[in-house]
Amino acid sequence: MAEFVADRFIYFVSRPTPESGRVWCPRWFAHAQALSRLDSIWRAWETLRWDGALGMSNWWVHHVDPHLSALMDPVTGPFAGCVDGHLMHEPLPIEAVPDGLFDQHTTPPTKDPFSLD
């Protein structure tokens, strides 16, 4: 994925200007959401680039455009604090999950995937 970002992706997307209202962080790899979104973009690229009919249109409209909007959003995107240099966001606060809360959702009651029980 890093190769895709360095060798292709950075040439496909225009560099944000201060007037654009978009933000990019050169340390994109240090942001978990960016890694996930860019990995998704890359995986879609690897599949859709072979579709000679609508593959690239599909890739731009359904994958790149929505992910870029989220990534480069200056308020809610992962790079929002990186306008003047890389800044890590604090993770969301969470509380410990009570023991057993999700057991019923992760342990199937039967080994038969077609059972209605």
Side-chain angles (χ1 to χ4, degrees), residues 28-84:
W28 57 270
F29 50 86
H31 297 269
Q33 184 183 150
L35 284 172
S36 180
R37 288 182 179 279
L38 290 167
D39 184 67
S40 297
I41 290 171
W42 167 63
R43 290 174 187 275
W45 162 265
E46 288 297 338
T47 299
L48 294 170
R49 69 185 176 133
W50 299 106
D51 178 349
L54 298 174
M56 287 293 87
S57 178
N58 184 347
W59 183 71
W60 280 104
V61 172
H62 298 289
H63 300 277
V64 179
D65 291 345
H67 282 299
L68 274 184
S69 292
L71 277 173
M72 299 175 121
D73 187 287
V75 177
T76 61
F79 308 141
C82 299
V83 174
D84 296 319

